Amino acid sequence: MDFDVGHIWGEMNLAVKIITIVMLSLSVLSFYVIVERMLTFGKANAQSAQYVQILAERLRTHEVGQALAAAKQMPKSPVATVMASGLDAFIKGREALEKGGPSDVGNFDVVDSVNRALDRVKERETSTVRKGLPILATVASSAPFIGLLGTVLGILDSFGLIQQGKSIGELSGKIGEALISTAIGLAVAIIAAIAFNFFTTKVERMVVDMNDISSEFIDYVLREGRA
């Protein structure tokens, strides 16, 4: 069997060629998602680490407005985005307590308002950081089966050679070319599966960070209410 790429491509039947193109397209899509997520997570981690330090200092000196301004300057950080919502709700809540509305319906709970604001944005940010991961999961689960389909179609095509009385060498070459389809499918799936697990771990860490910072801020709001 000649392992020249041009020769192998020329020997493949139309169905196997289409399946090979599909798998190569999936590999390109996976590579795009991997690179995009790597860049996004890199910026998010850098900005989050920077903002946590700024937030701690601003809350220590009770400069809530400055903490909010700093959060808005770091849009790539999930932590900063979540905290921007909570800080904004806290500032507006304190202002609401100092005023009386024309039709008050009860006591205003700042802590509850901040909690709801944090929860809403945490859900949205979690969905945002998971962007692209379903694509990797789909590629990882489907690529082996697509490759296997190409192999089956290639082997079926080789049966025609048997009927034509072709030699064992020609037959084994055709089967080998069909098996390449499975090899490509497995390679694409392995890369996508590794990337999916890697990024899933990253997402879980970001969610933990958002929950921890949110919980600490709620404690701060409670302490401010007691002060």
Side-chain angles (χ1 to χ4, degrees), residues 64-87:
V64 180
Q66 287 81 349
L68 176 59
K72 291 180 177 180
Q73 294 174 0
M74 300 182 181
K76 299 295 183 182
S77 167
V79 171
T81 302
V82 170
M83 287 307 304
S85 175
L87 289 163

Side-chain angles (χ1 to χ4, degrees), residues 22-158:
V22 170
M23 289 189 296
L24 292 176
S25 299
L26 291 177
S27 69
V28 172
L29 179 60
S30 298
F31 180 74
Y32 170 80
V33 172
I34 291 170
V35 172
E36 189 272 336
R37 288 292 88 187
M38 286 290 290
L39 295 175
T40 298
F41 286 174
K43 294 177 181 178
N45 290 332
Q47 289 192 3
S48 292
Q50 182 181 359
Y51 181 70
V52 167
Q53 296 178 353
I54 295 174
L55 178 65
E57 178 62 24
R58 292 292 179 264
L59 293 185
R60 186 180 66 82
T61 56
H62 303 286
E63 297 175 307
V64 180
Q66 287 81 349
L68 176 59
K72 291 180 177 180
Q73 294 174 0
M74 300 182 181
K76 299 295 183 182
S77 167
V79 171
T81 302
V82 170
M83 287 307 304
S85 175
L87 289 163
D88 184 59
F90 179 50
I91 293 172
K92 291 180 178 178
R94 288 195 305 186
E95 293 174 352
L97 289 177
E98 297 173 355
K99 302 175 182 178
S103 55
D104 284 339
V105 294
N107 293 330
F108 181 75
D109 190 336
V110 176
V111 176
D112 186 49
S113 175
V114 172
N115 230 338
R116 288 198 304 270
L118 291 171
D119 287 341
R120 284 195 301 269
V121 181
K122 276 191 292 186
E123 291 292 331
R124 186 169 66 246
E125 285 301 303
T126 300
S127 176
T128 299
V129 296
R130 286 185 57 83
K131 177 185 175 182
L133 299 193
I135 294 176
L136 293 178
T138 301
V139 172
S141 61
S142 63
F145 297 103
I146 297 174
L148 182 60
L149 175 61
T151 296
V152 170
L153 294 176
I155 291 176
L156 288 175
D157 189 50
S158 69

